[in-house]
Amino acid sequence: MRFEYSPAPESRSVVRLRDSYGLFIGGSFVAGSSVFKTISPATEEVLAEVTHAGPEDVDKAVAAARQAYERVWSEMPGRERGKYLFRIARIIQERARELAVLESMDNGKPIRESRDVDVPLAAAHFFYHAGWADKLGYAGFGPSPRPLGVVGQVIPWNFPLLMLAWKVAPALACGNTVVLKPAETTPLTALLFAEICQQADLPPGVVNIVTGDGATGQAVVAHPGIDKVAFTGSTEVGKEIARACAVSGKRVTLELGGKAANVVFDDAPVDQAVEGIVNGIFFNQGHVCCAGSRLLVQESVQDEVLAALRRRMGTLRLGDPLDKNTDVGAINSRAQLDKISELVGSGEAEGAARWSPPCPLPDRGFWFPPTVFTEVSQAHRIAREEIFGPVLSVLTFRTPAEAIEKANRTPYGLSAGVWTEKGSLILWMASRLRAGVVWANTFNRFDPSSPFGGYKESGFGREGGRHGLEAYLDVVGGGDV
Ligand code: NDP
């Protein structure tokens, strides 16, 4: 049965957009070399003008971060640093609605997700790391581990505020200062976060935010005053950064792409598995590095699972990201929509069968319907390449060994899912899947205390948990755990 829903739009009035935003350097918003516009991907409306940071602006940001590192932050006792992190976490909670609405406007993701996932998790990351700030000596890295210095952080557009929290919270807890570059298409919540830093009375220069495009990111990464680079984004740019850091001796962690297998065995509860498949690939329009973009379903239950999946996909509501009923929002940019369309075209050209539920698309903005491909072979591009959109490729297997073989046949290794009633099979699979995260009978679950990161071309280093702290501490010689 299909229910009709009346529109339930979240009000935009809670957000006070400025016409123009400067760069956040040394605790103040300052002018930069040029400007660009950020738009709503759902309507193509211009939301604000944002400053493009050139090399000289990045230079100022790094200088501010260095000064704050040497004079204030690295010398401050952990219990004092922790208080600032707690304060930031509380302000994120207090301003949660404003952050969620702004995130959905700038990114295109459904308000249900920004409100219930992105913003609460961002606050949780600051709470969690606030707790570590005065306990680093007990984290297993020796009695008094030292911070690294000034950290350059470059983040993507798929979870703008959440990726900021993943990067900034551990860096600050460990005593580092930060120069962060948000993605060109989604700078607004990072700039609101800058206001939150002011509100929290964070010492000037501890967090600096330089908006801009890939060239700004490159300037941050290449700057000689940066001690460590933390990057989340495409594997292609990640490789470039790894090469640049290898010759400069900077510390680096990379969180890159993925092509996760979501493996459904014949004894899995079908309805729950279908919810997991839908969450795995249609959450955030599939703009998720750990998305379950390859469904591996056991051949004997293929028809049953696919029929249930198609029924469920028919109930997904695509449209206004600010409508509380919306399940699938807008694609983040025209460039990303073109990339998805090109890869989907290759799937059809290579002989896979494409299906989407009836799904009218809005006239303006960037949209792609939830899509599933069957009759996919391992050689097809849609089975190998990261689409980063709401597109699922279905493959089948007969035995657990074949499932492992197919799941691992990818240059990536970020995440995987296993759906079965048997605990022993879950453990057997988990120990053989070459993926940083393996979810069992669930998918896309995140927690600040749980380390996240990849193998192979999905990058290296972990974010979250005790492992994530190591990336921001000078633990050369190894920890004692
Ligand atoms: P990029 O890797 O290009 O962008 C990620 C961040 O790095 C952005 O802030 C970007 O700036 C910046 N950047 C770009 N080039 C450089 C550079 N040479 N040096 C330093 N920083 C740089 O991802 P895209 O946004 O272009 O997306 C391309 C594809 O990457 C997507 O289609 C998707 O497949 C994948 N992707 C994967 C993500 C993941 O989490 N694994 C996240 C995002 C994308 P700017 O935004 O201004 O270009």
Side-chain angles (χ1 to χ4, degrees):
M1 187 196 300
R2 190 178 168 85
F3 292 95
E4 292 307 323
Y5 287 79
S6 301
E10 178 71 60
S11 169
R12 286 172 55 153
S13 64
V14 66
V15 169
R16 284 176 306 281
L17 274 177
R18 299 191 213 163
D19 292 337
S20 172
Y21 290 83
L23 306 169
F24 186 62
I25 297 178
S28 313
F29 285 94
V30 298
S33 34
S34 57
V35 292
F36 62 99
K37 290 180 169 51
T38 183
I39 63 166
S40 151
T43 59
E44 298 176 60
E45 156 206 11
V46 173
L47 296 175
E49 204 171 74
V50 179
T51 301
H52 180 276
E56 60 291 353
D57 303 313
V58 170
D59 208 35
K60 287 182 196 147
V62 174
R66 175 65 56 195
Q67 197 176 65
Y69 176 74
E70 284 172 1
R71 298 202 186 154
V72 187
W73 200 247
S74 66
E75 298 306 322
M76 189 183 279
R79 65 178 181 281
E80 295 303 318
R81 288 200 308 272
K83 286 180 193 168
Y84 285 102
L85 273 88
F86 274 123
R87 207 178 287 168
I88 290 171
R90 290 299 304 271
I91 300 173
I92 291 176
Q93 286 186 323
E94 283 163 18
R95 301 181 71 170
R97 202 177 162 107
E98 187 183 352
L99 284 161
V101 172
L102 186 60
E103 195 74 302
S104 285
M105 286 166 68
D106 204 20
N107 170 281
K109 64 174 68 202
I111 185 74
R112 214 160 45 81
E113 293 178 5
S114 46
R115 182 194 63 195
D116 297 346
V117 182
D118 297 54
V119 177
L121 267 177
H125 270 268
F126 279 96
F127 276 121
Y128 175 78
H129 288 97
W132 268 119
D134 62 349
K135 302 175 194 69
L136 297 172
Y138 307 96
F141 307 119
S144 50
R146 295 286 307 155
L148 293 170
V150 177
V151 182
Q153 305 183 320
V154 180
I155 56 172
W157 43 262
N158 54 344
F159 292 94
L161 181 72
L162 185 56
M163 288 302 104
L164 174 151
W166 278 30
K167 298 257 179 301
V168 172
L172 263 46
C174 292
N176 305 279
T177 57
V178 162
V179 176
L180 175 121
K181 196 210 76 80
E184 184 182 359
T185 57
T186 54
L188 294 182
T189 46
L191 293 164
L192 183 50
F193 179 80
E195 285 179 26
I196 290 175
C197 292
Q198 289 178 322
Q199 197 182 340
D201 276 332
L202 190 71
V206 172
V207 168
N208 304 275
I209 295 178
V210 287
T211 43
D213 60 8
T216 308
Q218 226 167 358
V220 171
V221 169
H223 197 287
I226 294 284
D227 299 301
K228 182 228 157 77
V229 173
F231 173 78
T232 297
S234 62
T235 294
E236 193 189 357
V237 174
K239 284 180 180 174
E240 225 177 276
I241 291 176
R243 272 193 293 272
C245 292
V247 289
S248 67
K250 285 174 192 156
R251 294 272 296 265
V252 62
T253 42
L254 302 172
E255 203 266 89
L256 310 175
K259 192 73 187 174
N262 204 358
V263 185
V264 178
F265 283 96
D266 58 5
D267 62 345
V270 171
D271 288 344
Q272 281 175 39
V274 164
E275 285 309 307
I277 296 164
V278 165
N279 175 34
I281 187 63
F282 302 124
F283 170 61
N284 203 29
Q285 296 73 248
H287 300 328
V288 184
C289 47
C290 52
S293 52
R294 286 184 299 152
L295 171 64
L296 296 188
V297 58
Q298 198 153 16
E299 208 174 82
S300 50
V301 289
Q302 175 188 196
D303 292 344
E304 186 188 356
V305 170
L306 288 179
L309 176 63
R310 289 195 176 106
R311 267 198 309 277
R312 179 68 178 90
M313 284 171 68
T315 68
L316 293 174
R317 289 176 297 275
L318 175 147
D320 180 6
L322 288 182
D323 191 320
K324 287 174 253 182
N325 294 319
T326 294
D327 298 303
V328 181
I331 300 303
N332 180 250
S333 64
R334 185 175 296 285
Q336 189 59 25
L337 180 58
D338 290 346
K339 184 185 164 191
I340 296 168
S341 306
E342 194 272 321
L343 271 160
V344 163
S346 84
E348 288 181 300
E350 289 182 323
R354 172 183 177 178
W355 183 85
S356 292
C359 180
L361 302 181
D363 298 331
R364 287 180 65 81
F366 315 129
W367 305 93
F368 203 88
T371 300
V372 57
F373 272 105
T374 49
E375 294 164 47
V376 178
S377 92
Q378 292 267 91
H380 290 163
R381 282 181 65 203
I382 53 168
R384 292 183 288 118
E385 295 180 30
E386 185 178 45
I387 300 175
F388 226 63
V391 182
L392 179 68
S393 301
V394 182
L395 298 142
T396 59
F397 67 92
R398 290 183 184 164
T399 63
E402 187 186 348
I404 289 289
E405 164 70 24
K406 287 188 166 163
N408 287 343
R409 204 182 300 160
T410 164
Y412 296 111
L414 194 53
S415 64
V418 181
W419 296 83
T420 171
E421 226 174 43
K422 294 188 194 69
S424 56
L425 183 55
I426 289 171
L427 295 175
W428 190 90
M429 290 288 292
S431 63
R432 287 164 178 78
L433 284 163
R434 293 290 292 160
V437 180
V438 179
W439 286 292
N441 293 325
T442 186
F443 209 91
N444 274 343
R445 290 251 172 207
F446 306 98
D447 189 280
S449 64
S450 177
F452 182 91
Y455 284 101
K456 303 191 280 185
E457 293 200 7
S458 291
F460 49 81
R462 295 290 177 263
E463 295 189 300
R466 198 190 65 80
H467 299 74
L469 297 173
E470 188 173 349
Y472 289 100
L473 290 170
D474 188 1
V475 292
V476 176
D480 55 11
V481 172

